[in-house]
Amino acid sequence: MIFSLFSEDTKFYTLFVIVATSVLAIFIIWRIFIPVRARIFNRSLIAFFSLAALTAGGYEIREAYVNSIPTVSEQDFVLDEYQPYRENTKAAKLDESSTLRLEGDLPKMDGATALYPLYAAFAQAVYPKKQYNQFDSEVMASTTPEAYKNLMDGSVDVIFAAGPSEQQLEEAKSKGVELKLTPIGREAFVFFVNASNPVKGLSTEQILSIYEGKITNWQEVGGRDEKIRAFQRPENSGSQTMLEKIMANKKIMTPPMDDVVGGMGGIIERTANYKNYDNAIGYSFLFFATEMVNNGNIRLLEVNGVMPEKRTIVNKEYPFAAEFYAVTTGSKNPNVPRLIEWILSEQGQSLVEKTGYTPVAATNTNE
């Protein structure tokens, strides 16, 4: 019981302790009130303890195996490496001095995790040289749901993210906030599998059927006879919102879930991060999947025979490509429109491309 209190696997060990305690209580009652040979009783007790030990040991071995499987989540990389003005920062740099330099009234930025390297590069080009703490500064690093919340609450002036979900639009409406979306780049929405999966690509219809729960075995799409583990992302995240838009009016199946210990000792359930099982499928955006995670254990899937890459995004061959935005709500900061105008300039769009995304200018000239 003491061990279970300090274990992260509260759900299993709580049940384990209840069952073990109940069985031990039966043994005590048996020993006191029912005549039985000591040897039979002792052997039964040893058998019970052996079974309990095997159960706990088997569970721990299984958990060790599951935990050894790589996970793809937005916490798989260190954002500090992209911090503006940090020594040896990975944030992209201009080849010449910026045409816009701000010294005061700096617009407070926030945004999706995968876009932090981009707006950190914007800040490095335009903002004064100093330290920008990711949690409390003019250049914050959040998640899409948190960034939209901060924007609607007036905590930040501009966020960089995928388009809002229906729930986020409703929340903005209820708060009397109008979201202005300015496209600043395009990105591919990609699906990936374990590198050992023989399936190299899927059609749009097959992807929709998998996430609708109609296709449940890889054998149905040319793979091995294995059940498909179709992972999803948390509600209102940029990638989950994109999946919902792709699915349109189709109902998305219930995703795999993780049991997480709540702060008050309770159990809450959340959508599980992608776990790279042999039979798993997950999704994200191209830059995140290839640059920020850079996980050689996963492989991107072709969609309708087209690989997600810059060329197919520009010429619009790849079917799942979407714009991402600088989102504002009418901030009174006079430098917000100046910043966005600069982001759409040749210099700003060059940083979009250098970071690893597709500039909106490139797709516009290709139309």
Side-chain angles (χ1 to χ4, degrees), residues 147-175:
Y148 269 104
K149 180 180 180 298
N150 290 339
L151 181 66
M152 287 186 272
D153 290 345
S155 303
V156 298
D157 297 304
V158 55
I159 66 171
F160 299 88
S165 66
E166 289 298 323
Q167 183 178 334
Q168 286 160 340
L169 288 172
E170 286 297 321
E171 185 179 352
K173 184 177 179 181
S174 68
K175 292 182 176 182

Side-chain angles (χ1 to χ4, degrees), residues 231-249:
F231 284 89
Q232 296 182 37
R233 295 288 299 130
E235 187 178 16
N236 292 326
S237 66
S239 50
Q240 187 68 13
T241 298
M242 185 66 179
L243 178 70
E244 291 168 359
K245 289 178 180 178
I246 288 173
M247 295 294 290
N249 296 322

